[in-house]
Amino acid sequence: MGRMSLHGRSRRRRRRRLNRIARAATPSQWPDLPPDLLGDVSRRLHDATDFTRLHAVCTAWRDALPTPLCRPPVFLPWLLCTVTACEGAVLHSSIKSSCRSRCGDIHVANPVGPSAARNWLATMDGTAAWLLTTDKGPGLMDLVTGAWTQLPAYDDDKSPQLENPRGIISGDGTILLYDSKRESAHKLAFMATFLRPGDVAWTQVKTTLDYSPDTGICFSATAAYHEGKILVCADVNYWCILTPDDHSVTHRLEPLTMSKHYRGWCQRNSYFLESQGQLLWVSFMVKYRYDEPTHMLSLVVHALEEGKTRWAVRDGASLGGQVLFLGSHASFAMDAAQLGVDGGCAYFIFTHDVLRYNFVDGEVSLVKNLPPDWPAIKEWDWLLPQPTIASVQEIRKRLGLQQEH
């Protein structure tokens, strides 16, 4: 708590200093602000929209862009509803023209048009997202730029039948696609294919996941690729690890052991993310109280121990310098100091609300109620904006201008 208060006082001092400068400056003096001051202000802007507007004010302010040698700015992520009925290039323009509104310290992006589920992929660091296409062969369409990337064709003789594939792109660039289908009450057919950077062909894995008789009926699975292995999570809290050698092998799913403190709680969602080279499993827990208007919510973090197939609980203190953003397709961790916010917390979606969970004291706070006309679905993701601001010299070159204007 002391460190959080110190950060708050430091931000208030910086804000007062900038306010004094602003009051002392007349309108004619704004373009003459020192470049080092403009650069300092630019580096402290974690809102992509504010960063773009600052460098669009005038030539002098645009010249104050951070040089490539400086650390690039880190922006707060946008919350994106990952369903849309738009196709092809229309999808790109619909997101660019979406209505964005402030959501506490995040942005919310609302794609236009009726909703329909699509096969989305995202990087595990949240910097990019794609739509998986198959009409011209397997390919990826960037949701921000609209660019389309051709992928190698599947091997029809050996590839598993991915009827409705989900996917994720790991930190090392590996593309993982997977699908699952219920074979019986206690068996799940799991099919996956992955493409590592530099590979010319997909690596296929097809296996049967076996539940214990007292588990109940299994319906679906999610997966992540980490250090050459596929981590599979079935029905929220059962898991196993697969390798390419496990093709056509039956695997027994093991339960994730939870603390006795969570007896009587229901595990609603599971999120996988990479943090400082370690794979984390975040469990979203709910304790329903039908005699009260609200329920108890909690997030539990486990880390995969290096060289072992065992999960260890991470306490709140170990997450003090990080902020977690938990999404439907990809989740990621960010350095709180680089964002200029307090650490040790996570942002996630429950029902129709954006919530913030504090790992130190377990407090859950409301960030924003999502608009009532948004679809009541679970498919939400975070996207880190990466705006590229052209320099004055580059703009003049594009326009063919030789003299300054």
Side-chain angles (χ1 to χ4, degrees), residues 291-313:
D291 56 340
E292 298 184 24
T294 59
H295 307 303
M296 296 178 64
L297 308 179
S298 181
L299 295 178
V300 185
V301 180
H302 289 80
L304 185 64
E305 295 186 337
E306 186 176 355
K308 301 178 181 179
T309 56
R310 186 175 62 187
W311 295 92
V313 178

Side-chain angles (χ1 to χ4, degrees), residues 36 66 102 108 112 159 171 175 234 256 272-273 337 365 370:
D36 57 340
R102 289 298 293 174
V108 179
V112 179
S159 64
I175 302 173
L256 176 66
F272 294 119
L273 62 142
S365 56
L370 295 176

Side-chain angles (χ1 to χ4, degrees), residues 281-294:
W281 182 345
V282 183
S283 302
F284 173 35
M285 312 292 294
V286 181
K287 189 171 186 179
Y288 293 98
R289 299 184 294 183
Y290 298 101
D291 56 340
E292 298 184 24
T294 59

